[in-house]
């Protein structure tokens, strides 16, 4: 779904305050990336360094570091878990993290540790994201 010029696929779980998303998979893993809003706010990404495989991360804690034009920013994880895969393309093509945010620009895949504990902090898709950003009560 597209709201205000930003795309938010309905299957994603979004940690709005950090503009990151998680796509859950049937095997208990989640793919993690930056939202279209986060990518627009960040601008061009010149370097992207995800945490290495085997690293345990908590929801709201750093899962990657990106270098922007004038700063270095920690990308927070929308869910807690263990890094099981890092996007290998980002080493040579860091711009994918902002040019193809919901496709080839994913950062890591995590083996999610406790999604039920993370769920209350996440919003699902565009409508929930929009309502949260605008502090609107859901009908």
């Amino acid at each position: 779904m597209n709201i205000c010029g930003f795309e938010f696929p309905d299957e994603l779980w979004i940690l709005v305050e950090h503009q990151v998303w998680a796509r859950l998979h049937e095997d208990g893993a989640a793919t993690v990336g930056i939202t279209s809003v986060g990518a627009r706010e960040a601008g061009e990404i010149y370097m992207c360094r995800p945490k290495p495989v085997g690293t345990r991360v908590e929801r709201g804690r750093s899962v990657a570091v990106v270098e922007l034009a004038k700063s270095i920013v920690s990308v927070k994880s929308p869910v807690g878990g263990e890094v099981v895969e890092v996007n290998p393309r980002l080493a040579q093509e860091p711009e994918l993290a902002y040019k193809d945010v919901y496709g080839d620009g994913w950062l890591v895949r995590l083996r999610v540790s406790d999604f039920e504990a993370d769920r209350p902090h996440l919003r699902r898709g565009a409508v929930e994201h929009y309502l949260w950003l605008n502090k609107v009560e859901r009908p």
Side-chain angles (χ1 to χ4, degrees):
M1 180 178 276
N2 189 304
I3 292 184
C4 300
F6 295 100
E7 187 66 29
F8 297 99
D10 289 333
E11 79 275 7
L12 300 182
W13 292 90
I14 300 169
L15 185 58
V16 179
E17 58 268 29
H18 295 296
Q19 290 302 324
V20 289
W21 57 264
R23 178 180 289 122
L24 299 180
H25 304 284
E26 290 181 17
D27 65 358
T31 302
V32 171
I34 302 168
T35 68
S36 55
V37 172
R40 171 104 36 101
E41 288 175 351
E44 263 188 81
I45 296 174
Y46 298 102
M47 181 274 302
C48 184
R49 188 175 318 133
K51 298 283 184 178
V53 171
T55 303
R56 296 202 50 78
V57 297
E58 296 176 26
R59 176 190 36 80
R61 305 293 288 186
S62 181
V63 72
V65 174
V66 294
E67 182 178 338
L68 310 174
K70 295 184 180 184
S71 63
I72 295 176
V73 177
S74 175
V75 179
K76 308 302 184 195
S77 182
V79 293
E82 180 181 343
V83 177
V84 294
E85 185 179 357
V86 172
N87 186 342
R89 294 183 61 189
L90 294 178
Q92 297 301 315
E93 302 173 85
E95 67 276 6
L96 287 174
Y98 75 91
K99 287 185 175 179
D100 190 11
V101 294
Y102 303 122
D104 290 338
W106 61 275
L107 303 175
V108 299
R109 290 207 170 98
L110 300 173
R111 181 179 311 113
V112 179
S113 55
D114 187 358
F115 181 70
E116 291 309 314
D118 294 331
R119 182 190 300 242
H121 305 278
L122 305 172
R123 301 293 169 253
R124 184 90 186 252
V127 173
E128 291 280 335
H129 189 263
Y130 177 81
L131 293 174
W132 189 90
L133 282 174
N134 291 290
K135 307 296 188 244
V136 175
E137 290 295 321
R138 188 166 180 83

